[in-house]
Amino acid sequence: MTAVARPRQSWAGLWNISFGFFGIQIGFALQNANMSRIFQSLGTSLDDLPALWVAAPLTGLLVQPVIGHLSDRTWLGRLGRRRPYFLAGAILAAIALLLMPESPGLLMAALLLWLLDASLNVSMEPFRAFVGDMLDKDQHAAGYAVQTAFIGAGAVFGSIFPWLLEHLGVSNVAASGGIPDTVRFAFWFGGAALFLAVLWTVLTTREYSPAEMAGFHGEADAEDQAQVTRTLAARRLAGSSVWIATGAIVVAGVAVLSLEKEVYLLGGLLIAYGLASILAILRARGGRPVDMLGHIVGDFGGMPVLMKRLAVAQFFSWSALFIMWINTTPIVAGAFYGAPDARSPLYQAGANWVDVLFAAYNGIAAVAALTLLPLLARRIGQARTHIVGLLCGAAGFASFFVVTDPRWLLASEIGIGIAWASILAMPYAILASSLPQRKLGIYMGLFNVFVVVPQLLVATVMGSITKHFFPTEPIWTLAFAAGALLLAALAMTRVTAGATR
């Protein structure tokens, strides 16, 4: 069947397709900027922060490939295939945001963080594929730029709201073991805004039917089934055994090297993937129908070369970002405000300034996504544009070591904001134009594994590094962040210019 082009979307159409991400990012921004603050306000120590953050990346790792696979195969009539996941995730995330500030203790806060991150991932993952579904290749860059602009704008609102409430007279002082009213009201506002923004996209867009999508990509699902079966049956069990052996080595290393016990989780995940791949291979060799597990394992092992190269850059990029999200509040409060104790009013002042800093880099990202990045991409190509963005981010992290006045950290956020815009737009624009459209959901879900795994590594391994080498100076974690972005830029040099068009 000959593929036909999708109708072009107007700017209003591009707006409606991605407006829901505005609300989703409000939720992520509130989580990223305030969860360390909530945990410390409820009594946890700096050393324990990475362990409490483990729920977030683990949830994404498990949820995104599954939701990607399911959304490729869902069709609920007028509600479509991606929008049911938008709506379900938004409802659950809004509930988590409403309940989070009322957490009576650390356990409840950690459980709600798990629910919040799971729900945000349920909504977010299909949104990546939704742009590819609704737009033809020549509009992919514009579609992801608009989506990135909404991500930046949503994060500005989510990040700055506690600071804004304080300046409107809302109390920013936490009672012993409590959460300030500024954070409480911000989470409640964020829950409502998230739901309404996602509902806007659900109500203002119409997804293409399975028949229409078949006309666009011109390939039958039966061909996919046969290809996945052949790929799995041809794989060697030795490769799966390597995953299991690696996981066992990690588990053994926890005891030998006295690492944090959360690292057991990483080893367990490696072992679990090895066992899952063995099961999928044996089923394929036995002629059994390919199920969801088989598709996920088969597509992960059969990723296109371009996707694998981009995955390396994603791995290092998101390692840097997660270091920033976990540590910026204790860094700014301790190193720039001289208040490492969460019970101190100066700590809360520093935490509110972090909200402003996070709002700044997200606002810069929103502007850069619609102005600087498209201009650079037209002149030097998408891959080189991404390299420039990553280098700007590395410079931003490094500048924390030379700035002494916290107000000047706003300048640091310029480079970080440009990097954030590029990380959110360039890899996805490159991928959406290169991947099989009929499998965009599962491939986007698998690609996001390389967003989640580095977060899991940071949440487990970085805690051990911080505890052993600089337990009272978390600012040194930003040196790792800067180095990770440099490695990401180096990895992008392997993405050829021709492959990015």
Side-chain angles (χ1 to χ4, degrees):
M1 186 192 311
T2 303
V4 297
R6 292 167 177 76
R8 289 186 62 81
Q9 292 283 345
S10 65
W11 276 103
L14 295 176
W15 173 290
N16 292 336
I17 287 169
S18 289
F19 186 71
F21 228 130
F22 172 74
I24 292 171
Q25 198 60 34
I26 288 176
F28 272 120
L30 287 168
Q31 170 184 298
N32 293 338
N34 294 284
M35 284 313 303
S36 289
R37 177 183 192 175
I38 289 174
F39 287 144
Q40 287 190 288
S41 294
L42 292 175
T44 193
S45 68
L46 178 63
D47 291 341
D48 291 332
L49 282 181
L52 290 169
W53 275 85
V54 162
L58 176 61
T59 301
L61 181 65
L62 299 176
V63 167
Q64 292 196 16
V66 172
I67 295 299
H69 172 84
L70 293 176
S71 69
D72 279 342
R73 290 160 173 77
T74 295
W75 184 255
L76 297 181
R78 294 179 62 183
L79 199 54
R81 64 172 179 167
R82 313 290 185 192
R83 290 178 297 164
Y85 299 94
F86 301 165
L87 191 58
I91 292 171
L92 293 173
I95 292 172
L97 286 168
L98 291 174
L99 295 178
M100 182 73 75
E102 301 303 314
S103 300
L106 281 173
L107 178 60
M108 180 60 71
L111 290 174
L112 286 172
L113 174 60
W114 173 81
L115 174 62
L116 175 60
D117 205 81
S119 305
L120 291 173
N121 275 286
V122 168
S123 284
M124 181 192 74
E125 198 287 328
F127 258 105
R128 294 294 193 190
F130 192 50
V131 173
D133 290 345
M134 301 298 291
L135 303 177
D136 215 41
K137 290 183 178 181
D138 64 343
Q139 282 197 296
H140 282 165
Y144 285 107
V146 170
Q147 189 174 90
T148 299
F150 276 127
I151 291 171
V156 169
F157 278 89
S159 298
I160 206 170
F161 207 69
W163 177 87
L164 180 62
L165 287 174
E166 181 190 14
H167 283 73
L168 292 176
V170 178
S171 174
N172 190 50
V173 178
S176 179
I179 297 170
D181 285 343
T182 51
V183 176
R184 179 176 287 107
F185 294 159
F187 271 64
W188 293 344
F189 164 82
L194 185 156
F195 175 73
L196 292 174
V198 171
L199 187 63
W200 177 279
T201 289
V202 170
L203 295 177
T204 59
T205 56
R206 183 191 72 84
E207 295 188 69
Y208 295 115
S209 69
E212 289 173 310
M213 292 298 292
F216 295 144
H217 59 62
E219 298 179 41
D221 186 64
E223 297 175 9
D224 298 336
Q225 297 279 352
Q227 179 59 41
V228 171
T229 301
R230 289 193 298 268
T231 300
L232 282 173
R235 288 176 61 176
R236 297 180 178 180
L237 295 178
S240 302
S241 300
V242 170
W243 288 98
I244 296 173
T246 304
I249 291 171
V250 171
V251 170
V254 176
V256 174
L257 301 176
S258 300
L259 300 177
E260 297 296 311
K261 288 183 170 50
E262 293 80 26
V263 183
Y264 279 125
L265 182 60
L266 175 61
L269 287 172
L270 294 172
I271 293 171
Y273 176 75
L275 293 173
S277 62
I278 287 175
L279 178 60
I281 291 169
L282 293 178
R283 284 177 57 89
R285 290 180 179 178
R288 305 281 291 279
V290 180
D291 57 7
M292 180 173 66
L293 177 63
H295 274 287
I296 292 174
V297 172
D299 288 332
F300 185 78
M303 288 187 298
V305 173
L306 177 66
M307 184 173 169
K308 292 178 181 178
R309 292 177 178 176
L310 282 169
V312 177
Q314 285 291 87
F315 175 88
F316 289 113
S317 300
W318 285 85
S319 296
L321 293 171
F322 206 59
I323 289 171
M324 174 184 71
W325 291 329
I326 290 179
N327 294 292
T328 300
T329 295
I331 287 170
V332 172
F336 293 90
Y337 282 77
D341 187 346
R343 294 169 295 183
S344 165
L346 274 178
Y347 175 94
Q348 298 299 336
N352 267 12
W353 186 241
V354 172
D355 291 337
V356 176
L357 295 177
F358 278 25
Y361 88 73
N362 280 290
I364 290 163
V367 174
L370 295 178
T371 55
L372 177 63
L373 296 185
L375 176 64
L376 286 176
R378 285 194 297 269
R379 296 198 173 192
I380 63 176
Q382 292 173 348
R384 290 179 179 175
T385 297
H386 195 34
I387 291 172
V388 171
L390 294 169
L391 293 176
C392 288
F397 286 131
S399 68
F400 270 67
F401 293 92
V402 297
V403 170
T404 56
D405 187 331
R407 292 174 295 180
W408 279 102
L409 292 176
L410 287 170
S412 304
E413 301 303 322
I414 295 174
I416 295 170
I418 294 172
W420 178 229
S422 188
I423 290 167
L424 291 174
M426 290 297 108
Y428 294 98
I430 294 169
L431 277 180
S433 299
S434 306
L435 295 175
Q437 297 297 296
R438 69 195 181 280
K439 302 177 74 173
L440 202 53
I442 180 61
Y443 273 133
M444 287 293 185
L446 291 172
F447 188 61
N448 280 326
V449 167
F450 300 97
V451 170
V452 173
V453 168
Q455 296 180 48
L456 183 60
L457 282 171
V458 169
T460 54
V461 177
M462 187 55 67
S464 297
I465 294 174
T466 303
K467 183 176 181 179
H468 285 88
F469 295 102
F470 33 84
T472 61
E473 295 182 293
I475 192 171
W476 289 104
T477 60
L478 291 187
F480 287 85
L485 287 187
L486 291 175
L487 291 173
L490 181 63
M492 281 302 300
T493 62
R494 300 184 65 239
V495 179
T496 60
T500 66
R501 292 172 184 166

